[in-house]
Amino acid sequence: MPAVSDCTEMLDSETKAVETPEDHAEELRLWLRLLTCTTLVEGEVRGRLRQRFDVTLPRFDLMAQLDKAPDGMTLSDVSKRMMVSNGNVTGLVERLVESGHLDRRTSETDRRVQVIRLTKLGRAEFRRMAAEHETWIADLFADLTPKDVRELMRLLAKTKASAQKSAARRRP
Amino acid sequence: MPAVSDCTEMLDSETKAVETPEDHAEELRLWLRLLTCTTLVEGEVRGRLRQRFDVTLPRFDLMAQLDKAPDGMTLSDVSKRMMVSNGNVTGLVERLVESGHLDRRTSETDRRVQVIRLTKLGRAEFRRMAAEHETWIADLFADLTPKDVRELMRLLAKTKASAQKSAARRRP
DNA sequence: CCAAATTGTTTTAAGCCTAAAATGTTTCCC
DNA sequence: GGGAAACATTTTAGGCTTAAAACAATTTGG
């Protein structure tokens, strides 16, 4: 092979991104598989929550956030944690206050802020649901070895960081 | 160590599931991380589709299914592939037919069945969007090495199989 | 053949969700 | 102090989503 080949290859690889569209089929497949897994588990959890406890998944998720915050959270905290829009939280909270699971009060130091907490009823019901929920998840992931789980945790952490970085690049 | 210890351990592990609640915190964390990754990527893709092409993610997903099926698909095919409810597809298709992206006709051999296809416009627009979409995904997963991608594919395949098995156990 | 079960789709009712605009409140800083 | 910017929440308009019931057409098993 002639000595110039390295140079040619360099030029090729430098111009490749411009001249020939890169192949990202693998990443695309990965994304679709990730989505499939999530949809599968989510659908299963949604159905079981409805059948066993007549509760929706978003309500359960919101209560899960509040269970971890005994002193309550503001609506924007919840919104950020759940990665949903503000307006979405407003409606969700409204319904859960209505049903007696949540307590909502205006902060005394900042009248813009609404602080929400689980009521005694809300906490009791959530704990009951969460215990069973945990066994569903364990069952859904039952075929993964502890090593699989560790490895997935690691790779998904990397995935999350990558996606966050990419999102930040676009919206600095 | 006495010879009976094996026996004791066996009994312990057999009764453990009944007497002491198992710890499934790791699986739970894995599920939450999986959900976070998906939500992150999905939100990013949704936003870019809206800004760049003024199209919603579900519409894009539906067109993606049809692009892979030049001879068209029935509504239930689409519903199964997308893992959404029948009624959902009905509405989605309605809007895409209205906007001229889809063609819908009743099957000649089975009058229950509706076959939908991309129109020329629909296919052209989808191809345009898909090309850019692929670069977004590549960018979102950019920090993963090819090995990471392979390993994730493998572990998510296992995860998918596990979840499907669990779902089938409950709904045989 | 024909009733019953099955299959494919639509309808219904309710809730979820988003982006963007509007409203009210606080902070910043000149 | 006072106006502008920033922040927290709600409202709005539109679309997405589901489960369940209803409807229509086909297949199946006596």
Side-chain angles (χ1 to χ4, degrees):
Chain A
M1 208 182 264
V4 289
S5 74
D6 275 325
C7 181
T8 310
E9 277 165 15
M10 293 262 305
L11 284 173
D12 269 0
S13 78
E14 275 171 7
T15 54
K16 194 190 243 173
V18 182
E19 293 187 0
T20 74
E22 301 236 28
D23 178 39
H24 300 307
E26 288 310 308
E27 284 87 347
L28 207 47
R29 264 193 283 275
L30 174 59
W31 165 231
L32 294 179
R33 189 162 291 180
L34 190 64
L35 188 54
T36 296
C37 284
T38 300
T39 307
L40 210 56
V41 173
E42 200 171 48
E44 203 55 29
V45 170
R46 184 197 310 284
R48 298 194 199 201
L49 281 174
R50 185 180 42 73
Q51 288 200 348
R52 275 291 279 129
F53 301 113
D54 193 33
V55 75
T56 67
L57 182 52
R59 278 155 148 100
F60 178 82
D61 286 344
L62 175 43
M63 288 196 268
Q65 292 298 329
L66 290 176
D67 187 58
K68 291 187 286 190
D71 294 343
M73 298 173 80
T74 69
L75 295 203
S76 6
D77 284 346
V78 172
S79 165
K80 284 190 198 81
R81 288 294 193 101
M82 293 181 73
M83 300 196 276
V84 300
S85 68
N86 295 340
N88 189 358
V89 174
T90 296
L92 225 35
V93 166
E94 219 158 60
R95 287 182 286 270
L96 280 166
V97 168
E98 169 65 28
S99 64
H101 293 85
L102 258 57
D103 173 79
R104 180 205 340 218
R105 63 186 60 171
T106 302
S107 160
E108 292 179 10
T109 61
D110 186 341
R111 274 180 306 173
R112 288 172 303 183
V113 173
Q114 301 283 318
V115 177
I116 54 176
R117 284 176 178 74
L118 285 175
T119 60
K120 201 162 275 185
L121 169 74
R123 190 169 300 275
E125 286 208 7
F126 173 74
R127 293 280 167 89
R128 204 161 52 85
M129 296 190 288
E132 204 159 322
H133 173 265
E134 192 168 308
T135 69
W136 302 338
I137 298 300
D139 193 59
L140 283 159
F141 290 85
D143 286 356
L144 300 182
T145 66
K147 189 182 163 199
D148 287 338
V149 173
R150 271 197 309 277
E151 197 58 6
L152 266 174
M153 285 292 281
R154 185 181 71 79
L155 289 167
L156 290 175
K158 203 170 172 183
T159 303
K160 177 178 166 184
S162 178
Q164 280 175 332
K165 208 167 111 187
S166 168
R169 261 196 298 278
R170 197 174 63 104
R171 234 181 312 84
Chain B
M1 208 185 261
V4 290
S5 73
D6 276 326
C7 181
T8 311
E9 278 166 15
M10 292 260 304
L11 283 173
D12 268 2
S13 77
E14 275 171 8
T15 54
K16 194 190 242 171
V18 181
E19 292 186 359
T20 75
E22 302 236 26
D23 178 40
H24 300 306
E26 287 310 307
E27 283 88 346
L28 207 47
R29 263 192 284 276
L30 174 58
W31 164 232
L32 294 178
R33 190 163 291 180
L34 190 63
L35 188 55
T36 296
C37 285
T38 300
T39 306
L40 210 55
V41 173
E42 201 171 48
E44 203 55 28
V45 170
R46 183 196 312 283
R48 298 193 199 201
L49 282 174
R50 185 182 42 73
Q51 288 201 349
R52 276 291 281 128
F53 301 113
D54 193 33
V55 75
T56 67
L57 181 53
R59 277 154 148 100
F60 178 82
D61 286 343
L62 175 42
M63 288 196 268
Q65 292 299 328
L66 290 177
D67 188 58
K68 291 186 285 189
D71 294 343
M73 298 173 78
T74 69
L75 295 203
S76 7
D77 284 347
V78 173
S79 164
K80 284 189 197 81
R81 288 294 193 100
M82 294 181 73
M83 299 196 277
V84 301
S85 68
N86 295 340
N88 190 354
V89 174
T90 296
L92 226 34
V93 166
E94 220 157 60
R95 287 182 286 268
L96 280 167
V97 168
E98 170 65 28
S99 65
H101 294 85
L102 258 56
D103 171 78
R104 181 206 338 220
R105 62 186 59 169
T106 302
S107 161
E108 293 178 11
T109 61
D110 186 338
R111 276 179 304 175
R112 287 171 304 182
V113 173
Q114 302 282 318
V115 177
I116 55 177
R117 282 175 179 73
L118 285 176
T119 60
K120 201 161 274 185
L121 169 74
R123 190 169 301 275
E125 286 208 7
F126 173 73
R127 292 281 168 88
R128 205 161 51 85
M129 296 190 289
E132 204 159 320
H133 173 265
E134 192 168 308
T135 69
W136 300 339
I137 298 300
D139 193 58
L140 284 159
F141 290 86
D143 285 356
L144 299 182
T145 67
K147 188 182 163 197
D148 287 339
V149 173
R150 273 198 306 276
E151 196 58 6
L152 265 174
M153 286 292 281
R154 185 182 71 79
L155 289 167
L156 289 175
K158 203 169 172 183
T159 302
K160 177 178 166 185
S162 178
Q164 280 174 332
K165 208 167 110 185
S166 167
R169 262 198 296 280
R170 197 174 64 104
R171 231 180 316 84

